[in-house]
Amino acid sequence: MTLALGPEWLQPDTIISWLGPWALVGLALIIFAECGLLLGFFLPGDSLLFTAGLFVAQGAIDTPLWLVCAILVAAAVIGNATGYWVGYKAGPAIFDKPQSRLFKPEHVAKTQGFFDKYGNRAIVLARFVPIVRTFITVMAGVGRMDARRYFTYSVIGGVVWAAGVTVLGFWLGQFAFVRANIELMLILIVAISVLPIVVEVVRARRKPRRQAA
C-alpha cells in the first residue's frame, strides 16, 4: 500500500484483515471512536468504510450489506451523541488546556471556524472531513447547540456517510478493475471526501459577488 494512506497499521485493508472474524465489531468500535472520542481523530474513517464495502462484496466479511450499514450508521450516530455529551459536560475544561500533541489549538480553531461558517449543515458536511468530524461533535456540545436539532442532522449525516460510503465500496467492489486497484480507489475516496467542502467554499465565495451585483 502507498504511503499516501499512512502507516501500514492504519491502512484499512490491514485493519480489517487483522480483525478477522471480529471485523464488523472492530469497524463499529473504530467508527464510534472517530465520531465520538477525541482520541480517535487520526482514524481512517472514509477509507475504512469504503474498504468494508469492498470486503462485503468479495465475501471477506460474511455479513449482509444492509446489516453492515445499519451497524456502522448506529456506531456513527452513537459516537456523535457521545461526543456531544463530552462537549456539553467537560468541553471547556478539555479545550482550555495548554497545547498538547493531541489537542492542538489549530484543530479546535479549524473546527470552530467550520461550525460557525456552515451552521446546521456543518454537522452533515463534517462527516466527510477528517479531524473535523471528530472535534465538531464536541464543539456542538460546548456551544450548547439545541439537542434535537443536533441529533436530527447527526442522524442524516450518519446515514449519508456511513451507509453511503460503504454501499459505494460494495458496488464498486463488484468490478474487476476496482478489485485490482484498491490502493488507487482508497486514495480517490479520500479525495472525494472533501468534495462537499469544496462546493460549499465555492458557493460561499460566489454569494457576496451575487449580492454585490
Side-chain angles (χ1 to χ4, degrees):
M1 298 291 287
T2 180
L3 290 176
L5 298 175
E8 184 177 358
W9 60 276
L10 271 180
Q11 292 172 11
D13 58 337
T14 299
I15 293 174
I16 296 176
S17 298
W18 180 77
L19 289 170
W22 298 97
L24 187 53
V25 174
L27 286 172
L29 291 175
I30 291 172
I31 294 302
F32 167 80
E34 187 176 11
C35 294
L37 304 179
L38 290 171
L39 295 176
F41 70 89
F42 64 91
L43 296 170
D46 300 306
S47 55
L48 196 60
L49 291 171
F50 185 81
T51 306
L54 284 173
F55 274 51
V56 173
Q58 296 172 359
I61 295 180
D62 189 20
T63 304
L65 179 64
W66 69 267
L67 182 56
V68 172
C69 290
I71 291 174
L72 295 179
V73 167
V77 173
I78 294 173
N80 266 23
T82 302
Y84 180 88
W85 180 83
V86 170
Y88 193 92
K89 295 294 184 180
I94 293 174
F95 290 117
D96 284 343
K97 290 183 177 181
Q99 167 147 348
S100 67
R101 291 183 178 180
L102 294 178
F103 306 115
K104 295 182 178 181
E106 56 264 32
H107 290 171
V108 180
K110 179 180 180 182
T111 303
Q112 185 63 60
F114 186 86
F115 189 75
D116 292 341
K117 187 176 183 64
Y118 299 112
N120 296 335
R121 290 177 297 169
I123 302 300
V124 177
L125 294 173
R127 292 285 192 181
F128 298 88
V129 185
I131 297 179
V132 172
R133 68 169 152 259
T134 301
F135 284 88
I136 200 168
T137 60
V138 178
M139 297 302 294
V142 173
R144 300 297 194 269
M145 182 177 181
D146 178 72
R148 179 177 297 180
R149 184 157 48 97
Y150 170 79
F151 289 117
T152 297
Y153 283 94
S154 178
V155 170
I156 294 173
V159 172
V160 174
W161 180 62
V165 177
T166 303
V167 170
L168 179 64
F170 176 85
W171 182 72
L172 291 178
Q174 300 179 56
F175 295 92
F177 174 81
V178 174
R179 293 195 299 270
N181 295 275
I182 294 179
E183 180 179 300
L184 176 61
M185 293 299 105
L186 293 179
I187 295 174
L188 184 61
I189 199 65
V190 171
I192 292 176
S193 68
V194 300
L195 186 58
I197 306 306
V198 174
V199 173
E200 287 297 324
V201 169
V202 172
R203 288 178 59 186
R205 290 182 176 179
R206 286 182 176 177
K207 186 175 180 180
R209 296 176 183 176
R210 289 197 299 266
Q211 292 176 341

